[in-house]
C-alpha cells in the first residue's frame, strides 16, 4: 500500500486550509465580539500581516523556481494572470484575514485572560447605518460598533437627539478593551445656548 507523502507540491492546500480557519475565526470575531483593539495595535498587526504575506509569496516563488511547487492546473484564472492575483487579489484577502485575527481574535482572548475589569462612564450617540437596504441602529461610542451597542428602531427614536451617557463594565488590557455589559443608560435632552 503506497504511503501518502506530504510534499511541497501540496503546500497551497495547507495555505487554503489556514485561510479557511482564519476566515471562520475572523467572522466569529466580527459578528460576536465586543473587543476593540488600540489604534497602535491595529497598525502593528497590519504591518505584521503585510510581512507575513510577502514572506509567503516569496517562499512560493522560491519553491516554483526550484520546481518544487507549481500553480495548480484547476486554478485556471491564476495561471493566466499570476501577477494580478498575487499582487492584488490574494493580498487583499490574505492580509485582511491575517490582520483581522492578529488585531482582533487573538488579542480578544489575551484581554479576556489578563485584562482588568473596570466600571466606566462614556458618551454615546444614536446612529443609523444602511447596508444593501438593511438599516441597523447603534450607539456610537469610542469603542468598535460591536453587537452589544446595537439598538432597536424604537430606542433610536428615543435617543436620536439626546445626550446619552453609558455606564459600562469593561475588561481592559494594554492591547485593547472588551465591553462586557451596558449597566445603565442615562438620557438628557440636548441643550442649546443662544446668545441674546
Amino acid at each position: 500500500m503506497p504511503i501518502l507523502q506530504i510534499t511541497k507540491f501540496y503546500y497551497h492546500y495547507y495555505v487554503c486550509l489556514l485561510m479557511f480557519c482564519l476566515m471562520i475565526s475572523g467572522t466569529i470575531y466580527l459578528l460576536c465580539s465586543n473587543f476593540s483593539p488600540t489604534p497602535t495595535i491595529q497598525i502593528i498587526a497590519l504591518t505584521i500581516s503585510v510581512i507575513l504575506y510577502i514572506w509567503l509569496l516569496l517562499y512560493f516563488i522560491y519553491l516554483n523556481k526550484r520546481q518544487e511547487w507549481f500553480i495548480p492546473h484547476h486554478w485556471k484564472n491564476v495561471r493566466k494572470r499570476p501577477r494580478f492575483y498575487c499582487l492584488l487579489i490574494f493580498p487583499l484577502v490574505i492580509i485582511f484575514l491575517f490582520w483581522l485575527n492578529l488585531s482582533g481574535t487573538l488579542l480578544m482572548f489575551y484581554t479576556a485572560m489578563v485584562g482588568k475589569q473596570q466600571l466606566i462612564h462614556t458618551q454615546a450617540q444614536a446612529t443609523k447605518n444602511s447596508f444593501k437596504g438593511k438599516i441597523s441602529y447603534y450607539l456610537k461610542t469610542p469603542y468598535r460598533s460591536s453587537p452589544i451597542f446595537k439598538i432597536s428602531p424604537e430606542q433610536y427614536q428615543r435617543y436620536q437627539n439626546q445626550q446619552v451617557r453609558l455606564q459600562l463594565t469593561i475588561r481592559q488590557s494594554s492591547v485593547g478593551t472588551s465591553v462586557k455589559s451596558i449597566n445603565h443608560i442615562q438620557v438628557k435632552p440636548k441643550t442649546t445656548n443662544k446668545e441674546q
Side-chain angles (χ1 to χ4, degrees), residues 103-128:
S103 68
T105 309
L106 293 176
L107 300 183
M108 175 184 67
F109 288 115
Y110 172 81
T111 300
M113 289 187 294
V114 304
K116 294 181 180 179
Q117 190 160 304
Q118 302 175 27
L119 193 67
I120 64 163
H121 293 85
T122 188
Q123 298 288 336
Q125 181 182 0
T127 59
K128 177 170 64 173

Side-chain angles (χ1 to χ4, degrees), residues 80-92:
K80 289 177 185 176
R81 304 170 68 187
R83 289 183 182 176
F84 173 72
Y85 278 86
C86 292
L87 299 178
L88 183 64
I89 302 298
F90 290 161
L92 288 176

Side-chain angles (χ1 to χ4, degrees), residues 41-159:
I41 288 297
Q42 293 186 54
I43 293 170
I44 292 171
L46 181 60
T47 305
I48 294 172
S49 301
V50 171
I51 291 170
L52 284 174
Y53 178 74
I54 292 172
W55 174 83
L56 195 64
L57 180 63
L58 292 176
Y59 183 63
F60 274 90
I61 291 173
Y62 167 77
L63 292 179
N64 185 264
K65 286 186 176 181
R66 290 173 55 97
Q67 297 185 345
E68 295 180 352
W69 182 81
F70 57 88
I71 297 174
H73 292 291
H74 57 281
W75 291 11
K76 294 179 182 178
N77 292 333
V78 181
R79 291 178 72 86
K80 289 177 185 176
R81 304 170 68 187
R83 289 183 182 176
F84 173 72
Y85 278 86
C86 292
L87 299 178
L88 183 64
I89 302 298
F90 290 161
L92 288 176
V93 175
I94 294 175
I95 290 174
F96 174 72
L97 288 176
F98 277 144
W99 172 79
L100 194 61
N101 283 274
L102 289 174
S103 68
T105 309
L106 293 176
L107 300 183
M108 175 184 67
F109 288 115
Y110 172 81
T111 300
M113 289 187 294
V114 304
K116 294 181 180 179
Q117 190 160 304
Q118 302 175 27
L119 193 67
I120 64 163
H121 293 85
T122 188
Q123 298 288 336
Q125 181 182 0
T127 59
K128 177 170 64 173
N129 295 327
S130 180
F131 181 71
K132 292 185 178 180
K134 185 178 180 182
I135 299 176
S136 300
Y137 303 93
Y138 285 92
L139 288 173
K140 186 178 180 182
T141 68
Y143 305 106
R144 187 171 74 88
S145 297
S146 51
I148 198 167
F149 294 119
K150 192 171 183 179
I151 57 176
S152 66
E154 293 78 17
Q155 290 173 313
Y156 173 76
Q157 293 296 329
R158 191 186 325 152
Y159 302 147

Side-chain angles (χ1 to χ4, degrees), residues 18-30 97 101 105:
L18 174 64
M19 292 302 107
F20 179 72
C21 294
L22 291 177
M23 190 179 300
I24 291 175
S25 61
T27 302
I28 292 171
Y29 165 72
L30 284 177
L97 288 176
N101 283 274
T105 309

